[in-house]
Amino acid sequence: MTRALIADDELALAEYLRTRLAALWPELEILPLAANGLDALRALENDEPEVAFLDIRMPGLTGLEVASRGAGGTHVVFVTAYDQYAVEAFDRDAVDYLLKPVTDERLGKCLERLRRKLANDEPAPGLNDVLGKIASALPNLQGAGKLRWVRALKGEVVHQIAVDEVLYFQASDKYTCVVTREGESLIRLPLAELAGQLDADVFWQVHRSTIVNMNAVASTRRDLSGRAFVMLKDGKTELTVSRAYAHLFKQM
């Protein structure tokens, strides 16, 4: 049985696509939805579906990044709302694309193409050239892959937290503590791995174990020994700046 992955952070659109796929290709086995690029990459690597419908703009990793890293044997269909740029850049013989909102007519043509490729046992095409064209054509894509949401555990409840609302991240053994004005929660991701997914213009690493949202910083100071600290706008939290990162605050 052919298996397909749908990855889109807009869950309503993802559910709609799942419904239409079920109607137009009843034999298709659809894997659990992936709500961000990281989940999509894990699903591609672990489940190796024959087909993947990837939204281009997702938190964590863009659809282009997911495809380039993990879609080795998978036929990728990109889903995008950016027609005038992306459509011109796509190579129709290499990959397919769907514009939001997806129509039955367009989806049907896409599925015909996929069925033909699968029936003829055609290998999934190389994506590098196409991905490069799309990346250069889409406006403001750089930075779009930066993390916008984190799913953090507090007690037995998983919370969806906007990264902009995070005051700081702090390493906690194999986890990372996510601190907002509402309290603390945990994500199962080491701080070092998280750092590469954050907007470096906003989130500064100030200590081996701490990354702070600079929009939440109210002031900085040094003590008599020269150690640096940042005070947050909540008026009660002060974070230590280690010597390795003190140069970031030379203007103090």
Side-chain angles (χ1 to χ4, degrees), residues 165-170 177-185:
E165 296 177 2
V166 176
L167 300 178
Y168 62 94
F169 296 97
Q170 200 150 51
C177 182
V178 181
V179 182
T180 68
R181 291 184 182 277
E182 286 69 43
E184 300 181 2
S185 48

Side-chain angles (χ1 to χ4, degrees), residues 221-241:
R221 73 174 181 90
R222 288 184 185 275
D223 64 11
L224 294 176
S225 65
R227 290 189 306 168
F229 302 86
V230 293
M231 173 63 76
L232 302 192
K233 292 177 180 176
D234 64 3
K236 59 184 180 182
T237 304
E238 191 172 61
L239 303 172
T240 301
V241 180

Side-chain angles (χ1 to χ4, degrees), residues 108-135:
K109 291 180 180 178
C110 173
L111 297 185
E112 286 179 14
R113 184 174 295 119
L114 285 170
R115 286 192 180 101
R116 186 172 62 249
K117 287 179 178 292
L118 292 168
N120 295 333
D121 201 21
E122 294 180 22
L127 292 173
N128 289 341
D129 290 343
V130 178
L131 293 173
K133 292 178 183 176
I134 298 169

Side-chain angles (χ1 to χ4, degrees), residues 34-49:
N36 58 62
L38 294 174
D39 287 348
L41 181 59
R42 276 191 284 269
L44 282 180
E45 292 174 341
N46 295 335
D47 299 321
E48 300 181 339

Side-chain angles (χ1 to χ4, degrees), residues 150-165:
V150 293
R151 299 178 67 194
L153 188 65
K154 187 173 185 178
E156 297 180 347
V157 179
V158 177
H159 295 266
Q160 192 84 358
I161 299 174
V163 169
D164 290 343
E165 296 177 2

Side-chain angles (χ1 to χ4, degrees), residues 206-207 227-230 239-249:
V206 297
H207 190 278
R227 290 189 306 168
F229 302 86
V230 293
L239 303 172
T240 301
V241 180
S242 68
R243 293 188 186 280
Y245 301 97
H247 66 279
L248 298 173
F249 303 93

